Amino acid sequence: MTADGTMSGASLGESVTMRLSTEGADLLTLAGVSDANLLELQKLFPVRVTLRADAMAIAGAADVVQRALPVAQRMIDAAKQRAPLEPDDVLRMSLENGRDTGSGERIVLPGVRKIIQPKTSGQAAYLQAIADNDIVVGIGPAGTGKTYLAVAAAVDALSRKRVKRIVLARPAVEAGESLGFLPGDMQAKVDPYLRPLYDALEDMMPAERVAKSLETRVIEIAPLAYMRGRTLADAFVILDEAQNATALQMKMFLTRLGVNSRAVITGDKTQVDLPKREESGLVQIERILPGIEGIAFHYLTDADVIRHRLVRDIIRAYSAAADT
């Protein structure tokens, strides 16, 4: 194989065997449960894949092997980083084969020895938009990584001391922001609505650091209604489930930003839970804010879904039903 990853000395139809070094890779992660990852690679490309202690061998027609090699190398890289690797990941890698996935935008999280990197070109562009703009509005269906990647960018900014705190907010609209009927104190009442933010955070920081940061308010997780009257300076602010913020709440949120702050607003326009008489703040800003320098809108699609492969098909089915 030449330096640019192509093969020399073989015609396209000729059968060849190429080997990639697996030194440093976790072979169990690379192969998957019952060799599921290797079988997925063989299914996507008509090649024969064998794994040894120090190399992965790929055999087949020269042109097919050439297309399979970049995917196999990405699998090996993921296994070296001890990143989760499943057949769906191999499928996504094949779909991205030959396209720039923005791997330069990967985020290395200290303390948990974890690397967060985009798995689709859409996610890569989303992370790039967050890096380049003070306010980013990420719109797309469930499972596209809107919130997860935003939280990763916030933790990265905090660890690099680019901001002094993280503020994560979410509307509690499912309870009409009137939480009195729920048991417990106010924190117990709102925690169910904020749990996804806790989950993302706890996946990216050691548990003791999360606890300490919450105690010292370096990280704050609160309902959107709690933002009223505040000025958020030196902060990375995320508003999740923004489709359930009213127009007034959205204006209130956007005008909280202070010096050296940035915000990411995420939402799914197909899952608005507001009463019909209320306009979604997310829908409103999509109409009135484009064109302002420093504000970027980024749209993720079903092609960026990174949950179970059926989620993508379910989203498409619902979209098709809505269009009929």
Side-chain angles (χ1 to χ4, degrees):
M1 192 162 64
T2 62
D4 63 358
T6 60
M7 289 178 290
S8 59
S11 62
L12 292 182
E14 183 181 344
S15 180
V16 298
T17 299
M18 300 298 296
R19 290 176 174 80
L20 296 174
S21 173
T22 58
E23 183 178 359
D26 183 88
L27 297 184
L28 291 176
T29 298
L30 180 58
V33 178
S34 300
D35 291 340
N37 295 335
L38 303 182
L39 293 173
E40 181 72 10
L41 184 62
Q42 290 185 152
K43 184 173 72 172
L44 293 168
F45 303 94
V47 294
R48 186 174 70 258
V49 181
T50 55
L51 187 61
R52 296 291 182 265
D54 59 349
M56 177 190 289
I58 303 174
D63 57 333
V64 182
V65 170
Q66 183 169 326
R67 287 188 288 113
L69 281 173
V71 180
Q73 186 60 61
R74 290 180 64 186
M75 293 170 62
I76 293 169
D77 291 343
K80 287 180 179 179
Q81 298 164 4
R82 304 302 194 268
L85 185 63
E86 299 178 352
D88 279 356
D89 298 310
V90 179
L91 172 61
R92 281 189 293 272
M93 291 173 182
S94 73
L95 294 174
E96 294 292 333
N97 195 13
R99 289 185 285 167
D100 179 13
T101 61
S103 58
E105 284 303 312
R106 68 182 187 176
I107 297 171
V108 180
L109 299 174
V112 291
R113 299 173 60 85
K114 186 167 187 174
I115 297 175
I116 305 292
Q117 62 184 34
K119 294 187 175 181
T120 69
S121 55
Q123 288 187 346
Y126 178 49
L127 276 181
Q128 188 63 55
I130 293 173
D132 293 343
N133 296 274
D134 289 334
I135 297 176
V136 173
V137 183
I139 299 175
T144 51
K146 302 184 300 295
T147 302
Y148 191 83
L149 292 174
V151 173
V155 172
D156 182 55
L158 182 65
S159 67
R160 294 174 184 267
K161 302 188 185 304
R162 293 173 179 169
V163 297
K164 294 181 179 178
R165 57 180 171 157
I166 297 172
V167 179
L168 309 175
R170 219 178 194 218
V173 73
E174 295 90 341
E177 298 255 13
S178 178
L179 305 169
F181 70 91
L182 293 174
D185 59 18
M186 182 54 69
Q187 192 63 45
K189 294 175 190 293
V190 302
D191 269 357
Y193 303 102
L194 305 177
R195 189 69 249 172
L197 296 175
Y198 283 103
D199 290 343
L201 200 59
E202 290 168 357
D203 195 42
M204 298 175 194
M205 296 172 64
E208 62 276 9
R209 187 180 169 205
V210 173
K212 182 177 180 180
S213 297
L214 290 170
E215 182 181 346
T216 59
R217 300 183 72 80
V218 170
I219 298 178
E220 181 180 355
I221 304 177
L224 175 59
Y226 285 22
M227 299 296 105
R228 193 175 304 278
R230 302 178 58 186
T231 299
L232 303 173
D234 291 309
F236 196 118
V237 191
I238 298 173
L239 174 58
D240 191 34
E241 297 289 345
Q243 75 276 1
N244 288 329
T246 67
L248 287 175
Q249 287 175 330
M250 182 64 75
K251 181 180 179 182
M252 177 271 292
F253 172 80
L254 288 170
T255 54
R256 299 307 92 200
L257 290 184
V259 177
N260 192 40
S261 285
R262 53 182 53 221
V264 178
I265 299 165
T266 70
D268 179 356
K269 294 188 297 179
T270 68
Q271 296 193 31
V272 177
D273 295 319
L274 292 169
K276 293 187 182 300
R277 66 181 182 276
E278 289 275 11
E279 181 182 19
S280 166
L282 180 64
V283 173
Q284 184 188 60
I285 63 171
E286 187 185 24
R287 186 175 70 248
I288 67 177
L289 294 187
I292 298 178
E293 186 176 355
I295 300 179
F297 285 77
H298 183 76
Y299 293 86
L300 294 154
T301 70
D302 53 62
D304 299 302
V305 171
I306 56 171
R307 292 179 182 169
H308 192 287
R309 67 178 69 200
L310 285 177
V311 173
R312 184 185 299 110
D313 295 334
I314 290 168
I315 290 170
R316 289 173 177 169
Y318 270 96
S319 179
D323 292 339
T324 58

